Amino acid sequence: MSLARCHSVALVGVDGHVVEVEADLNNGIPGLVIIGLPDTSLYEARDRVRAAITNSGEEWPMRKITLALSPASLRKTGSSFDLAMAMAVLGASGAVPLESAPALIMLGELALDGRVRAVRGVLPALLASTKAGFDRAVVAHANVAEARLLPGLRVHGVASLAELVAWLRGGARDVPFLESAEPQPAPGEEFGGRDLSDVLGQSGGRRVVEVAAAGGHHVLFTGPPGTGKTMLAERLPGVLPALDRAAALEVTAVHSVAGHLPAGMPLVTRPPLSAPHHTASVAALVGGGSGIPRPGAASLAHRGVLLLDEAPEFASGVLDALRQPLESGEVVLARAAGTARYPARFQLVLAANPCPCAPVTGIALQCTCTPQARLRYAARLSGPLLDRVDIRHEVLSPNRAEMDADRDHLESSAVVAARVVLARERAVQRLAGSGWRTNAEVSGVALRRHYPPTLDARRIVEREQDRGLLSARGVDRVLRVGWTLADLDGADRPARGHIDEAIMLRGGVPRVAA
């Protein structure tokens, strides 16, 4: 009896689990059996592995072959185990020495001719392997740049199974690995040339974008079509600070699992923008699919912006599915195959027309909707969802005089982003040691106990709550926006003016000093 083992990684969500791949060759009817809760793609690996070995000039052992994937209780999915399975078979047959292979993590899909193809989820998989004590990995050439994002991990890229076999026969210990490189930031702020100064005549909207970026707040833009709602929303990522290294690896891991990493620059260094179509399903928005569920648009917007344009056109169940990740910052998807967790701490931006017919302001076309139709249209955005939105702004259509006057007040995204960075730095210093980094993340209990506004400001909030204009959650969100406004002004804590503006940004009426 011959036995050999290699190692690979199984992914459940963005969590990796090291898998031991054992190959046992024994007497009996020739064939290959895979055990250890494999899915359909792993059953198909029998034919891929056999064809890749024979087409690489190696001999397929005509014996009874058993491939065991341990731990057996963990469901395995995907084609990333192909490379480790092929090497385990060759090692068990004595064709390849595997003295150093047990210390290697192998990830790669095999083509029938022996080529090694790239797979999804290399970054989170190798992150799990480094935590388990592995410091060397073999991946496809196309995955090398992504694998090298992890410091301290030595990476060897291969283009074919024959290349890996020759490398192991030559002594893997003596072949230099590629040392992992520190991630380099992406050059520039590449958002398709979108700049905040493009939105002319919407000084209030630009202010909302700045406040939302400084505090990480959720936003609702309403107004007629063509007034700039979508333009404002699309420019929010451009004024957000660049991702730090930890956040960049988090975002990159999610995009790697989804297969959305750009070639040549695998590290995501800028806050992403995810904008699903209004016909998107619950699975497309929060994640799903057969077997282990895949990340949805909410997770792809992690540490960035989730834009839902034409928000009332989304199915109500789809929108309400966002309520849990808006509070917890993650999506938990329970399926028969297992439970997957994906991070989903994003800024939600909703854009909506005032009614179904969406009249264009400034021309003869007028609204033809009945009051009942307008109410039904507005009711598609549920109260519990809107209560989680910090800022609500009506975007009106400016006239030519207003647009001409606004030209002298335009600021580029770079100028606004500089103020946002300063405001966020003040928040980070204040929240040091708490685990929070933005005002939008601070709990209501902490706001009242440790970060209270001035006495005058607190009285304003209490008065609005007594009048029934603010819920308990609404009070917390007003205080959070108030702290953001104070950070932008460089104030020690929110004063009456900051709370007044925060109430107005939440959709209230500007107050007159009593």
Side-chain angles (χ1 to χ4, degrees), residues 27 75 165 236 303 334 395 426 490:
N27 295 327
R75 182 169 293 277
V165 169
L236 176 55
R303 302 294 182 185
V395 184
R426 295 187 184 101

Side-chain angles (χ1 to χ4, degrees), residues 226-476:
T227 54
K229 302 186 299 294
T230 304
M231 290 182 67
L232 288 167
E234 290 176 340
R235 280 148 183 80
L236 176 55
V239 299
L240 291 174
L243 301 175
D244 59 27
R245 188 176 182 280
L249 289 177
E250 285 181 10
V251 175
T252 302
V254 176
H255 285 244
S256 175
V257 171
H260 290 176
L261 288 182
M265 181 58 71
L267 185 68
V268 180
T269 59
R270 293 293 313 171
L273 172 65
S274 181
H277 192 261
H278 64 261
T279 57
S281 64
V282 173
L285 191 61
V286 299
S290 60
I292 300 298
R294 294 289 183 182
S299 294
L300 294 175
H302 180 57
R303 302 294 182 185
V305 176
L306 175 63
L307 168 59
L308 301 185
D309 204 2
E310 305 294 343
E313 300 297 336
F314 283 80
S316 58
V318 174
L319 292 176
D320 286 338
L322 291 173
R323 286 154 58 177
Q324 181 261 335
L326 283 174
E327 293 293 333
S328 64
E330 68 174 2
V331 173
V332 182
L333 302 170
R335 299 291 187 272
T339 300
R341 294 178 181 269
Y342 292 106
R345 191 167 295 282
F346 53 84
Q347 285 186 248
L348 177 64
V349 179
L350 304 171
N353 293 318
C355 65
C357 75
V360 180
T361 303
I363 62 176
L365 182 62
Q366 298 296 323
C367 177
T368 59
C369 300
T370 64
Q372 291 79 9
R374 294 173 66 93
L375 288 174
R376 283 195 301 269
Y377 188 75
R380 294 182 183 179
L381 301 178
S382 67
L385 177 64
L386 290 180
D387 204 30
R388 289 168 167 83
V389 176
D390 304 343
I391 301 174
R392 307 167 190 173
H393 179 72
E394 184 178 7
V395 184
L396 301 177
S397 180
N399 55 41
R400 185 167 59 86
E402 291 172 334
M403 296 180 69
D404 290 340
D406 192 38
R407 295 182 190 277
D408 297 331
H409 303 285
L410 291 175
E411 292 179 317
S412 67
S413 291
V415 173
V416 176
R419 292 199 297 266
V420 168
V421 168
L422 292 177
R424 287 217 175 189
E425 288 176 351
R426 295 187 184 101
V428 168
Q429 292 174 2
R430 181 176 63 256
L431 301 174
S434 66
W436 300 309
R437 296 184 59 84
T438 63
N439 293 317
E441 299 174 11
V442 183
S443 69
V445 175
L447 282 170
R448 291 184 290 273
R449 289 182 181 176
H450 307 299
Y451 310 108
T454 62
L455 181 59
D456 286 346
R458 188 161 62 249
R459 286 174 176 170
I460 293 174
V461 174
E462 293 170 351
R463 187 181 307 170
E464 296 299 303
Q465 188 177 14
D466 291 340
R467 295 172 58 192
L469 300 179
L470 288 177
S471 66
R473 183 187 287 122
V475 169
D476 294 342

Side-chain angles (χ1 to χ4, degrees), residues 46 109 139 147 181 212 238 264 328 426 508:
R46 294 177 297 184
E109 177 186 326
V139 300
S328 64
R426 295 187 184 101

Side-chain angles (χ1 to χ4, degrees), residues 39-252:
D39 71 342
T40 303
S41 60
L42 270 173
Y43 279 121
E44 294 173 349
R46 294 177 297 184
D47 299 321
R48 290 197 302 270
V49 169
R50 179 169 182 167
I53 288 177
T54 56
N55 289 327
S56 298
E58 303 296 327
E59 184 178 352
W60 179 259
M62 299 304 295
R63 301 175 67 182
K64 179 182 178 181
I65 305 172
T66 302
L67 281 171
L69 310 179
S70 301
S73 59
L74 176 69
R75 182 169 293 277
K76 290 77 176 184
T77 181
S79 57
S80 60
F81 300 94
D82 287 7
L83 198 57
M85 292 165 64
M87 295 313 303
V89 170
L90 291 175
S93 67
V96 176
L98 294 183
E99 289 80 6
S100 60
L104 289 172
I105 291 292
M106 299 184 183
L107 298 170
E109 177 186 326
L110 288 175
L112 298 184
D113 60 358
R115 287 176 294 120
V116 180
R117 291 172 170 158
V119 294
R120 297 177 177 181
V122 166
L123 178 61
L126 293 182
L127 179 61
S129 70
T130 57
K131 292 180 180 178
F134 291 83
D135 63 351
R136 300 191 300 169
V138 175
V139 300
H141 269 309
N143 287 134
V144 167
E146 180 183 349
R148 293 184 66 200
L149 295 176
L150 293 174
L153 182 68
R154 295 184 295 165
V155 181
H156 183 72
V158 293
S160 65
L161 180 62
E163 181 182 336
L164 178 57
V165 169
W167 178 66
L168 289 173
R169 285 173 176 166
R173 296 179 184 276
D174 299 327
V175 179
F177 281 74
L178 294 172
E179 292 292 340
S180 296
E182 288 294 325
Q184 299 297 320
E189 299 179 0
E190 299 178 358
F191 290 98
R194 300 168 182 159
D195 196 276
L196 199 57
S197 61
D198 299 335
V199 191
L200 187 62
Q202 296 295 349
S203 57
R206 297 196 302 270
R207 171 67 170 175
V208 165
V209 169
E210 179 178 350
V211 174
H217 303 291
H218 307 308
V219 182
L220 168 64
F221 288 117
T222 59
T227 54
K229 302 186 299 294
T230 304
M231 290 182 67
L232 288 167
E234 290 176 340
R235 280 148 183 80
L236 176 55
V239 299
L240 291 174
L243 301 175
D244 59 27
R245 188 176 182 280
L249 289 177
E250 285 181 10
V251 175
T252 302

